[in-house]
Amino acid sequence: MPSRIRRTLMAVAVDTRSLRASAQFRRLFVGHLISTIGRQITVVAVPFQVYQMTKSPVLVGLLGLAQVIPLILVSILAGSLADTLDR
């Protein structure tokens, strides 16, 4: 493989040395991956279930609104708190 292509691949490739070197980090990584997959399934499954039970796109929209309002409010409050307080 020409060195230019190899350098390009190395620049965009993910460094997996930590996964190979540390069993603890591997367990943490796999646990986080499983948790993230579960969260993404929930993000799709809950609105789908609400729609299947009610056949109402309005209720699906209200569900989304009920999920995003606390996220926005907590983000704003936590951001201002993080800016105010010193480590």
Side-chain angles (χ1 to χ4, degrees):
M1 181 179 324
S3 64
R4 184 173 148 228
I5 294 173
R6 182 173 173 80
R7 276 183 299 190
T8 304
L9 286 176
M10 293 300 289
V12 297
V14 176
D15 183 13
T16 60
R17 285 180 292 200
S18 298
L19 287 172
R20 285 181 269 143
S22 172
Q24 291 177 335
F25 183 70
R26 222 177 2 258
R27 284 193 293 271
L28 175 69
F29 181 81
V30 169
H32 187 271
L33 180 67
I34 291 169
S35 177
T36 301
I37 291 169
R39 173 67 184 141
Q40 292 304 315
I41 289 171
T42 303
V43 165
V44 173
V46 171
F48 180 74
Q49 183 179 9
V50 168
Y51 184 76
Q52 287 295 315
M53 292 173 71
T54 64
K55 302 290 187 219
S56 172
V58 173
L59 288 178
V60 174
L62 288 174
L63 173 68
L65 193 62
Q67 291 174 335
V68 80
I69 287 176
L71 177 70
I72 292 171
L73 291 177
V74 169
S75 296
I76 291 171
L77 293 173
S80 65
L81 189 63
D83 289 340
T84 303
L85 298 176
D86 190 18
R87 275 188 160 183

Coordinates of all heavy atoms in Angstrom, one line a residue:
M1 N 0.8 -1.2 0.0 CA 0.0 0.0 0.0 C 0.9 1.2 0.0 O 1.8 1.4 0.8 CB -0.9 0.0 1.3 CG -1.8 1.1 1.3 SD -3.0 1.1 2.8 CE -3.4 -0.5 3.1
P2 N 0.7 2.2 -0.9 CA 1.5 3.4 -0.9 C 1.4 4.2 0.4 O 0.3 4.1 1.0 CB 0.9 4.2 -2.1 CG 0.2 3.2 -2.9 CD -0.3 2.1 -2.0
S3 N 2.4 4.9 0.7 CA 2.5 5.5 2.0 C 1.4 6.7 2.1 O 0.9 6.9 3.2 CB 3.9 6.1 2.3 OG 4.2 7.1 1.3
R4 N 1.1 7.3 1.0 CA 0.1 8.4 1.0 C -1.3 7.8 1.4 O -2.0 8.4 2.2 CB 0.0 9.0 -0.4 CG -0.9 10.2 -0.4 CD -0.8 11.0 -1.7 NE -2.1 11.5 -2.0 CZ -2.8 11.4 -3.1 NH1 -2.2 10.8 -4.1 NH2 -3.9 11.9 -3.2
I5 N -1.6 6.7 0.8 CA -2.9 6.1 1.2 C -2.9 5.6 2.6 O -3.9 5.8 3.4 CB -3.2 4.9 0.2 CG1 -3.4 5.4 -1.2 CG2 -4.5 4.1 0.7 CD1 -3.6 4.4 -2.3
R6 N -1.8 5.0 3.0 CA -1.7 4.6 4.4 C -1.8 5.7 5.4 O -2.5 5.6 6.4 CB -0.4 3.9 4.6 CG -0.2 3.3 6.0 CD 1.1 2.5 6.1 NE 1.4 2.0 7.4 CZ 0.9 1.0 8.0 NH1 -0.1 0.3 7.4 NH2 1.2 0.7 9.2
R7 N -1.2 6.8 5.1 CA -1.3 8.0 6.0 C -2.7 8.5 6.0 O -3.2 8.9 7.1 CB -0.4 9.1 5.5 CG 1.1 9.0 6.0 CD 1.9 10.1 5.6 NE 1.8 10.1 4.1 CZ 2.5 10.8 3.3 NH1 3.3 11.7 3.7 NH2 2.4 10.6 2.0
T8 N -3.4 8.5 4.9 CA -4.8 9.0 4.9 C -5.7 8.1 5.7 O -6.5 8.6 6.5 CB -5.3 9.0 3.4 OG1 -4.5 9.9 2.6 CG2 -6.7 9.6 3.3
L9 N -5.5 6.8 5.6 CA -6.3 5.8 6.4 C -6.0 6.0 7.9 O -6.9 5.9 8.7 CB -6.0 4.4 5.9 CG -6.6 4.0 4.6 CD1 -6.1 2.5 4.3 CD2 -8.1 4.0 4.7
M10 N -4.7 6.2 8.2 CA -4.4 6.4 9.6 C -5.0 7.7 10.2 O -5.3 7.8 11.4 CB -2.8 6.4 9.8 CG -2.2 5.1 9.5 SD -2.8 3.7 10.6 CE -2.0 4.2 12.1
A11 N -5.2 8.7 9.3 CA -5.7 9.9 9.8 C -7.2 9.8 10.1 O -7.7 10.5 11.0 CB -5.5 11.0 8.8
V12 N -7.9 8.9 9.4 CA -9.3 8.8 9.6 C -9.7 7.6 10.4 O -10.9 7.5 10.8 CB -10.1 8.9 8.3 CG1 -9.9 10.2 7.6 CG2 -9.7 7.7 7.4
A13 N -8.8 6.7 10.6 CA -9.1 5.4 11.3 C -9.3 5.7 12.8 O -8.7 6.6 13.4 CB -8.0 4.4 11.0
V14 N -10.1 4.8 13.4 CA -10.2 4.9 14.9 C -9.1 4.1 15.6 O -8.8 3.0 15.2 CB -11.6 4.3 15.3 CG1 -11.8 4.3 16.8 CG2 -12.7 5.1 14.6
D15 N -8.6 4.7 16.6 CA -7.5 4.0 17.3 C -8.1 3.0 18.3 O -8.8 3.4 19.2 CB -6.7 5.1 18.1 CG -5.5 4.5 18.9 OD1 -5.2 3.3 18.6 OD2 -4.9 5.2 19.7
T16 N -7.9 1.7 18.1 CA -8.4 0.7 18.9 C -7.4 0.0 19.8 O -7.7 -1.0 20.4 CB -9.0 -0.4 18.0 OG1 -8.0 -0.9 17.1 CG2 -10.2 0.1 17.1
R17 N -6.3 0.7 20.0 CA -5.2 0.1 20.8 C -5.7 -0.1 22.3 O -5.4 -1.0 23.0 CB -4.0 0.9 20.8 CG -3.2 0.7 19.5 CD -2.0 1.6 19.6 NE -2.4 3.0 19.5 CZ -1.6 4.0 19.2 NH1 -0.4 3.8 18.9 NH2 -2.1 5.2 19.1
S18 N -6.5 0.9 22.8 CA -7.0 0.8 24.1 C -7.9 -0.4 24.3 O -7.9 -1.0 25.4 CB -7.8 2.1 24.5 OG -6.9 3.2 24.5
L19 N -8.7 -0.7 23.3 CA -9.6 -1.8 23.4 C -8.8 -3.1 23.5 O -9.2 -4.1 24.2 CB -10.6 -1.9 22.2 CG -11.7 -0.9 22.2 CD1 -12.5 -0.9 20.9 CD2 -12.7 -1.1 23.4
R20 N -7.7 -3.2 22.8 CA -6.9 -4.4 22.8 C -6.1 -4.5 24.0 O -5.8 -5.6 24.5 CB -6.0 -4.4 21.5 CG -6.8 -4.8 20.3 CD -5.8 -4.8 19.1 NE -5.8 -3.4 18.5 CZ -4.8 -2.8 18.0 NH1 -3.7 -3.4 17.9 NH2 -4.9 -1.6 17.5
A21 N -5.7 -3.4 24.6 CA -4.8 -3.4 25.7 C -5.4 -3.6 27.1 O -4.8 -4.2 28.0 CB -3.9 -2.2 25.7
S22 N -6.6 -3.1 27.2 CA -7.2 -3.0 28.6 C -8.6 -3.8 28.6 O -9.5 -3.4 28.0 CB -7.5 -1.6 29.0 OG -8.2 -1.5 30.2
A23 N -8.6 -4.8 29.4 CA -9.8 -5.6 29.6 C -10.9 -4.8 30.3 O -12.1 -4.9 29.9 CB -9.6 -6.9 30.4
Q24 N -10.5 -3.9 31.2 CA -11.5 -3.1 31.9 C -12.1 -2.1 30.9 O -13.3 -1.9 30.9 CB -10.8 -2.3 33.1 CG -10.4 -3.2 34.2 CD -9.7 -2.4 35.3 OE1 -9.1 -1.4 35.0 NE2 -9.8 -2.9 36.5
F25 N -11.3 -1.5 30.1 CA -11.8 -0.5 29.1 C -12.7 -1.2 28.1 O -13.7 -0.7 27.7 CB -10.7 0.2 28.4 CG -11.2 1.2 27.4 CD1 -11.8 2.4 27.8 CD2 -11.1 1.0 26.0 CE1 -12.3 3.3 26.9 CE2 -11.6 1.9 25.1 CZ -12.2 3.1 25.6
R26 N -12.4 -2.5 27.7 CA -13.2 -3.3 26.8 C -14.6 -3.5 27.4 O -15.6 -3.4 26.8 CB -12.5 -4.6 26.5 CG -12.5 -5.0 25.1 CD -11.8 -6.3 24.8 NE -11.1 -7.0 25.8 CZ -9.8 -7.0 26.1 NH1 -9.0 -6.2 25.3 NH2 -9.2 -7.7 27.0
R27 N -14.6 -3.9 28.7 CA -15.9 -4.1 29.4 C -16.7 -2.8 29.4 O -17.9 -2.8 29.2 CB -15.7 -4.7 30.8 CG -15.3 -6.1 30.8 CD -15.4 -6.7 32.2 NE -14.4 -6.1 33.1 CZ -13.2 -6.6 33.3 NH1 -12.8 -7.7 32.6 NH2 -12.3 -6.1 34.1
L28 N -16.1 -1.7 29.7 CA -16.8 -0.4 29.8 C -17.3 -0.1 28.4 O -18.5 0.3 28.2 CB -15.8 0.7 30.2 CG -16.3 2.1 30.2 CD1 -17.4 2.3 31.2 CD2 -15.2 3.1 30.4
F29 N -16.5 -0.3 27.4 CA -16.9 0.0 26.0 C -18.1 -0.8 25.6 O -19.1 -0.3 25.0 CB -15.7 -0.2 25.0 CG -16.0 0.1 23.6 CD1 -16.0 1.5 23.2 CD2 -16.4 -0.9 22.7 CE1 -16.3 1.8 21.9 CE2 -16.6 -0.6 21.4 CZ -16.6 0.8 21.0
V30 N -18.0 -2.1 25.8 CA -19.1 -3.0 25.4 C -20.4 -2.7 26.2 O -21.5 -2.7 25.7 CB -18.7 -4.5 25.6 CG1 -19.9 -5.4 25.5 CG2 -17.6 -4.9 24.7
G31 N -20.3 -2.4 27.5 CA -21.4 -2.0 28.3 C -22.1 -0.7 27.8 O -23.3 -0.6 27.7
H32 N -21.2 0.2 27.4 CA -21.8 1.5 26.9 C -22.4 1.3 25.5 O -23.5 1.8 25.2 CB -20.6 2.5 26.8 CG -21.1 3.9 26.4 ND1 -21.2 4.3 25.1 CD2 -21.5 4.9 27.1 CE1 -21.7 5.5 25.0 NE2 -21.9 5.9 26.3
L33 N -21.8 0.4 24.7 CA -22.4 0.1 23.4 C -23.8 -0.6 23.6 O -24.7 -0.2 22.9 CB -21.4 -0.8 22.6 CG -21.9 -1.2 21.2 CD1 -21.9 0.0 20.3 CD2 -21.0 -2.3 20.7
I34 N -23.9 -1.5 24.5 CA -25.2 -2.2 24.7 C -26.2 -1.2 25.2 O -27.4 -1.2 24.8 CB -25.0 -3.4 25.6 CG1 -24.2 -4.5 25.0 CG2 -26.3 -3.9 26.1 CD1 -23.8 -5.6 25.9
S35 N -25.8 -0.3 26.1 CA -26.7 0.7 26.6 C -27.2 1.6 25.6 O -28.4 2.0 25.5 CB -26.0 1.5 27.8 OG -26.8 2.5 28.2
T36 N -26.3 2.1 24.7 CA -26.6 3.0 23.6 C -27.6 2.3 22.6 O -28.6 2.9 22.2 CB -25.4 3.4 22.9 OG1 -24.5 4.1 23.8 CG2 -25.7 4.4 21.7
I37 N -27.4 1.1 22.3 CA -28.3 0.3 21.4 C -29.6 0.2 22.0 O -30.7 0.5 21.3 CB -27.7 -1.1 21.0 CG1 -26.4 -0.9 20.2 CG2 -28.7 -1.9 20.4 CD1 -25.7 -2.2 20.0
G38 N -29.7 -0.1 23.3 CA -31.0 -0.2 24.0 C -31.7 1.2 24.0 O -32.9 1.2 23.8
R39 N -31.0 2.2 24.2 CA -31.6 3.6 24.2 C -32.2 3.9 22.8 O -33.3 4.5 22.7 CB -30.6 4.6 24.6 CG -31.0 6.1 24.5 CD -32.1 6.4 25.4 NE -32.6 7.7 25.2 CZ -33.9 8.1 25.2 NH1 -34.8 7.2 25.6 NH2 -34.2 9.3 25.0
Q40 N -31.4 3.6 21.8 CA -31.9 3.9 20.4 C -33.1 3.0 20.1 O -34.0 3.5 19.4 CB -30.8 3.7 19.4 CG -29.7 4.7 19.5 CD -30.2 6.1 19.4 OE1 -30.9 6.4 18.6 NE2 -29.7 7.0 20.3
I41 N -33.2 1.8 20.5 CA -34.4 1.0 20.3 C -35.5 1.6 21.0 O -36.7 1.6 20.5 CB -34.1 -0.5 20.8 CG1 -33.1 -1.2 19.9 CG2 -35.4 -1.3 20.9 CD1 -32.6 -2.5 20.4
T42 N -35.3 2.1 22.2 CA -36.4 2.7 23.0 C -36.9 4.0 22.3 O -38.1 4.3 22.2 CB -35.9 3.1 24.4 OG1 -35.5 1.9 25.0 CG2 -37.0 3.7 25.2
V43 N -36.0 4.8 21.7 CA -36.4 6.0 21.0 C -37.3 5.7 19.8 O -38.2 6.5 19.5 CB -35.1 6.7 20.5 CG1 -35.4 7.8 19.5 CG2 -34.4 7.3 21.7
V44 N -37.2 4.5 19.2 CA -38.0 4.1 18.1 C -39.3 3.4 18.6 O -40.4 3.6 18.1 CB -37.3 3.3 17.1 CG1 -38.2 2.7 16.0 CG2 -36.1 4.1 16.5
A45 N -39.1 2.5 19.6 CA -40.2 1.6 20.0 C -41.3 2.3 20.7 O -42.5 2.0 20.5 CB -39.6 0.5 20.9
V46 N -41.0 3.3 21.6 CA -42.0 4.0 22.4 C -43.0 4.8 21.5 O -44.2 4.6 21.6 CB -41.4 4.8 23.5 CG1 -42.5 5.7 24.2 CG2 -40.8 3.9 24.5
P47 N -42.5 5.6 20.6 CA -43.5 6.3 19.7 C -44.2 5.3 18.8 O -45.4 5.5 18.5 CB -42.6 7.2 18.8 CG -41.4 7.5 19.6 CD -41.2 6.2 20.4
F48 N -43.6 4.3 18.4 CA -44.2 3.3 17.5 C -45.4 2.6 18.3 O -46.5 2.4 17.8 CB -43.2 2.2 17.1 CG -43.8 1.1 16.2 CD1 -44.2 1.4 14.9 CD2 -44.1 -0.1 16.7 CE1 -44.8 0.4 14.1 CE2 -44.6 -1.1 16.0 CZ -45.0 -0.9 14.6
Q49 N -45.1 2.3 19.6 CA -46.1 1.6 20.4 C -47.3 2.6 20.7 O -48.5 2.2 20.6 CB -45.5 1.2 21.7 CG -46.6 0.4 22.6 CD -46.0 0.0 23.9 OE1 -44.8 0.3 24.2 NE2 -46.7 -0.8 24.6
V50 N -47.0 3.9 20.9 CA -48.1 4.8 21.2 C -48.9 5.0 19.9 O -50.2 5.0 20.0 CB -47.5 6.2 21.5 CG1 -48.5 7.3 21.5 CG2 -46.9 6.2 22.9
Y51 N -48.3 5.0 18.7 CA -49.1 5.1 17.5 C -49.9 3.8 17.3 O -51.0 3.9 16.9 CB -48.2 5.3 16.3 CG -49.0 5.5 15.0 CD1 -49.7 6.7 14.8 CD2 -49.1 4.5 14.1 CE1 -50.4 6.8 13.7 CE2 -49.9 4.6 13.0 CZ -50.5 5.8 12.8 OH -51.3 6.0 11.6
Q52 N -49.3 2.6 17.5 CA -50.0 1.4 17.4 C -51.2 1.3 18.3 O -52.3 0.8 17.9 CB -49.1 0.2 17.6 CG -48.1 -0.1 16.5 CD -48.8 -0.4 15.2 OE1 -49.7 -1.2 15.1 NE2 -48.3 0.2 14.1
M53 N -51.1 1.8 19.5 CA -52.2 1.7 20.5 C -53.3 2.8 20.2 O -54.5 2.5 20.5 CB -51.6 1.9 21.9 CG -50.8 0.7 22.4 SD -50.0 1.0 23.9 CE -51.4 0.9 25.0
T54 N -52.9 3.9 19.8 CA -53.9 5.0 19.6 C -54.2 5.4 18.2 O -55.2 6.1 18.0 CB -53.3 6.3 20.4 OG1 -52.2 6.7 19.7 CG2 -53.0 6.0 21.8
K55 N -53.3 5.1 17.3 CA -53.5 5.5 15.9 C -53.6 7.0 15.8 O -54.2 7.6 14.8 CB -54.7 4.9 15.2 CG -54.7 3.4 15.2 CD -53.7 2.8 14.3 CE -53.9 1.3 14.2 NZ -52.6 0.6 14.2
S56 N -52.9 7.7 16.7 CA -53.0 9.2 16.7 C -51.6 9.8 16.6 O -50.8 9.7 17.5 CB -53.6 9.7 18.1 OG -53.5 11.1 18.2
P57 N -51.4 10.4 15.4 CA -50.1 11.1 15.3 C -49.9 12.3 16.2 O -48.8 12.7 16.6 CB -50.1 11.6 13.8 CG -51.4 11.2 13.2 CD -52.2 10.5 14.2
V58 N -51.0 12.9 16.7 CA -51.0 14.0 17.6 C -50.4 13.5 19.0 O -49.5 14.2 19.6 CB -52.4 14.6 17.9 CG1 -52.4 15.6 19.0 CG2 -52.9 15.2 16.6
L59 N -50.8 12.3 19.4 CA -50.2 11.8 20.7 C -48.8 11.4 20.5 O -48.0 11.6 21.5 CB -51.1 10.6 21.1 CG -52.4 10.9 21.7 CD1 -53.2 9.7 22.1 CD2 -52.4 11.9 22.9
V60 N -48.4 11.0 19.4 CA -47.0 10.7 19.1 C -46.2 12.0 19.2 O -45.1 12.1 19.8 CB -46.7 10.0 17.8 CG1 -45.3 9.8 17.5 CG2 -47.4 8.6 17.8
G61 N -46.7 13.1 18.6 CA -46.1 14.4 18.7 C -46.0 14.9 20.1 O -45.0 15.5 20.5
L62 N -47.1 14.7 20.9 CA -47.1 15.2 22.3 C -46.0 14.4 23.1 O -45.4 14.9 24.0 CB -48.5 15.0 22.9 CG -49.5 16.0 22.4 CD1 -50.9 15.7 22.9 CD2 -49.1 17.4 22.8
L63 N -45.9 13.1 22.8 CA -44.9 12.3 23.4 C -43.5 12.9 23.1 O -42.7 13.0 24.1 CB -44.9 10.8 23.0 CG -43.8 9.9 23.4 CD1 -43.9 9.7 24.9 CD2 -43.9 8.6 22.7
G64 N -43.2 13.2 21.9 CA -41.9 13.8 21.6 C -41.7 15.1 22.3 O -40.6 15.4 22.8
L65 N -42.8 15.9 22.4 CA -42.7 17.2 23.1 C -42.4 16.9 24.6 O -41.6 17.6 25.2 CB -44.0 17.9 22.9 CG -44.1 19.4 23.3 CD1 -43.1 20.2 22.5 CD2 -45.5 19.9 23.1
A66 N -43.1 16.0 25.2 CA -42.9 15.6 26.6 C -41.4 15.1 26.8 O -40.9 15.3 27.9 CB -43.9 14.6 27.0
Q67 N -40.8 14.6 25.8 CA -39.4 14.1 26.0 C -38.4 15.3 25.8 O -37.4 15.3 26.4 CB -39.1 13.0 25.0 CG -39.8 11.7 25.3 CD -39.6 10.7 24.2 OE1 -39.4 11.0 23.0 NE2 -39.8 9.4 24.6
V68 N -38.7 16.2 24.9 CA -37.7 17.2 24.5 C -37.8 18.4 25.5 O -36.7 19.0 25.7 CB -37.9 17.7 23.1 CG1 -39.0 18.6 22.9 CG2 -36.6 18.2 22.5
I69 N -38.9 18.7 26.1 CA -39.0 19.9 27.0 C -38.1 19.7 28.2 O -37.3 20.6 28.5 CB -40.5 20.2 27.3 CG1 -41.2 20.8 26.1 CG2 -40.5 21.2 28.5 CD1 -42.6 21.1 26.4
P70 N -38.1 18.6 28.9 CA -37.2 18.5 30.0 C -35.7 18.5 29.6 O -34.9 19.0 30.3 CB -37.5 17.1 30.6 CG -38.9 16.8 30.2 CD -39.1 17.5 28.9
L71 N -35.4 17.9 28.4 CA -34.1 17.9 27.9 C -33.6 19.3 27.7 O -32.5 19.7 28.1 CB -34.0 17.1 26.6 CG -32.7 17.1 25.9 CD1 -31.7 16.2 26.7 CD2 -32.8 16.5 24.5
I72 N -34.4 20.2 27.1 CA -34.0 21.5 26.8 C -33.8 22.3 28.1 O -32.8 23.0 28.3 CB -35.0 22.2 25.9 CG1 -34.9 21.6 24.5 CG2 -34.8 23.7 25.8 CD1 -36.0 22.0 23.5
L73 N -34.8 22.2 29.0 CA -34.8 22.9 30.3 C -33.6 22.5 31.1 O -32.8 23.4 31.7 CB -36.0 22.7 31.1 CG -37.3 23.4 30.5 CD1 -38.5 23.1 31.3 CD2 -37.1 24.9 30.3
V74 N -33.3 21.2 31.2 CA -32.2 20.8 32.0 C -30.9 21.2 31.4 O -29.9 21.6 32.1 CB -32.3 19.2 32.3 CG1 -31.0 18.7 32.8 CG2 -33.4 18.9 33.1
S75 N -30.8 21.1 30.1 CA -29.6 21.6 29.4 C -29.3 23.0 29.6 O -28.1 23.4 29.9 CB -29.7 21.3 27.9 OG -29.8 20.0 27.6
I76 N -30.3 23.9 29.6 CA -30.1 25.3 29.8 C -29.7 25.5 31.3 O -28.7 26.3 31.5 CB -31.4 26.1 29.5 CG1 -31.6 26.1 28.0 CG2 -31.3 27.5 30.0 CD1 -32.9 26.6 27.6
L77 N -30.4 24.9 32.2 CA -30.0 25.1 33.6 C -28.6 24.5 33.9 O -27.8 25.2 34.6 CB -31.1 24.5 34.5 CG -32.4 25.1 34.5 CD1 -33.5 24.3 35.3 CD2 -32.4 26.5 35.0
A78 N -28.3 23.3 33.4 CA -27.0 22.7 33.7 C -25.9 23.5 33.1 O -24.8 23.7 33.6 CB -27.0 21.3 33.2
G79 N -26.2 24.1 31.9 CA -25.1 24.9 31.2 C -24.8 26.1 32.0 O -23.7 26.5 32.1
S80 N -25.9 26.8 32.4 CA -25.6 28.0 33.2 C -24.9 27.7 34.6 O -24.1 28.5 35.0 CB -26.9 28.8 33.4 OG -27.8 28.1 34.2
L81 N -25.3 26.6 35.1 CA -24.7 26.2 36.4 C -23.2 25.8 36.2 O -22.4 26.2 37.0 CB -25.4 25.0 37.0 CG -25.1 24.5 38.4 CD1 -25.4 25.6 39.4 CD2 -25.8 23.3 38.7
A82 N -22.9 25.1 35.1 CA -21.5 24.8 34.8 C -20.7 26.0 34.5 O -19.5 26.1 34.8 CB -21.5 23.9 33.6
D83 N -21.3 27.1 33.9 CA -20.6 28.3 33.6 C -20.3 29.1 34.9 O -19.4 29.8 35.0 CB -21.3 29.1 32.6 CG -21.3 28.6 31.2 OD1 -20.4 27.7 30.9 OD2 -22.2 28.9 30.4
T84 N -21.3 29.0 35.8 CA -21.2 29.8 37.1 C -20.2 29.2 38.1 O -19.4 29.9 38.6 CB -22.6 29.9 37.7 OG1 -23.5 30.4 36.8 CG2 -22.5 30.7 39.0
L85 N -20.2 27.9 38.3 CA -19.4 27.3 39.3 C -18.0 26.9 38.8 O -17.8 26.6 37.6 CB -20.1 26.0 39.8 CG -21.5 26.2 40.4 CD1 -22.1 24.8 40.8 CD2 -21.4 27.0 41.7
D86 N -17.1 27.0 39.7 CA -15.7 26.7 39.4 C -15.6 25.2 39.7 O -16.3 24.6 40.5 CB -14.7 27.5 40.3 CG -13.3 27.3 39.8 OD1 -13.1 26.9 38.7 OD2 -12.4 27.6 40.7
R87 N -14.7 24.5 39.0 CA -14.4 23.1 39.3 C -14.1 22.9 40.7 O -14.3 21.9 41.3 CB -13.3 22.6 38.4 CG -13.7 22.2 37.0 CD -12.6 21.5 36.3 NE -13.1 20.7 35.2 CZ -12.4 20.0 34.5 NH1 -11.1 19.9 34.6 NH2 -12.9 19.3 33.5

